[in-house]
């Protein structure tokens, strides 16, 4: 079992920045991929960014050029640096980890961007 704990959410004005963290309870070295998803109120959960085991990065078109996903294997932590935030980025951001035989989800952290 792996616990994922997100932090770093909050209220920010449009144009501002936040950095989210997702700390895993065990090594992320062998994970297949770690991702950030987001779910706005009343909407489906959407993929935001993915970092694979070999370091490949993928982003949703809506966040390309503004968000950066990264990881620190020594800290078992994945980050999401969010810049130039827009009101439409408001959502609960949830961390996801895919290991060889299991998938885990965090509880989420709220990000609210005011106009």
């Amino acid at each position: 079992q792996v616990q994922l704990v997100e932090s770093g959410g909050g209220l920010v004005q449009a144009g501002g920045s936040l950095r989210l963290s997702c700390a895993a309870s065990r090594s992320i070295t062998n994970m297949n991929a770690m991702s950030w998803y987001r779910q706005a109120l009343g909407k489906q959960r959407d993929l935001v960014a993915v970092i694979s085991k070999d370091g490949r990065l993928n982003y949703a078109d809506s966040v390309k050029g503004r968000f950066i996903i990264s990881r620190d294997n020594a800290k078992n932590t994945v980050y999401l640096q969010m810049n130039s935030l827009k009101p439409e980025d408001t959502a609960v951001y949830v961390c996801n980890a895919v290991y060889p035989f299991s998938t885990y989800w965090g509880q989420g952290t709220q990000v609210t961007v005011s106009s």
Side-chain angles (χ1 to χ4, degrees):
Q1 191 73 7
V2 176
Q3 279 75 50
L4 301 175
V5 179
E6 301 97 335
S7 61
L11 174 64
V12 64
Q13 289 189 331
S17 298
L18 285 173
R19 189 178 80 155
L20 306 183
S21 300
C22 172
S25 61
R26 78 172 200 212
S27 173
I28 63 173
T29 303
N30 293 325
M31 58 80 180
N32 292 336
M34 290 192 75
S35 306
W36 285 97
Y37 286 75
R38 67 185 181 187
Q39 187 166 17
L41 193 63
K43 296 188 177 180
Q44 67 181 22
R45 182 173 289 184
D46 292 325
L47 180 64
V48 175
V50 182
I51 183 166
S52 65
K53 184 176 182 178
D54 60 4
R56 285 176 296 161
L57 309 177
N58 279 292
Y59 298 94
D61 287 344
S62 60
V63 306
K64 282 181 181 177
R66 300 189 297 122
F67 291 10
I68 301 171
I69 188 170
S70 62
R71 67 173 183 238
D72 185 334
N73 288 343
K75 295 182 178 180
N76 297 331
T77 299
V78 171
Y79 303 97
L80 185 68
Q81 177 67 43
M82 305 187 296
N83 302 318
S84 302
L85 283 162
K86 304 175 181 179
E88 52 262 44
D89 294 319
T90 294
V92 175
Y93 284 70
V94 184
C95 181
N96 167 272
V98 178
Y99 285 82
F101 302 104
S102 301
T103 298
Y104 302 95
W105 293 90
Q107 292 297 309
T109 184
Q110 176 70 44
V111 171
T112 303
V113 184
S114 64
S115 58

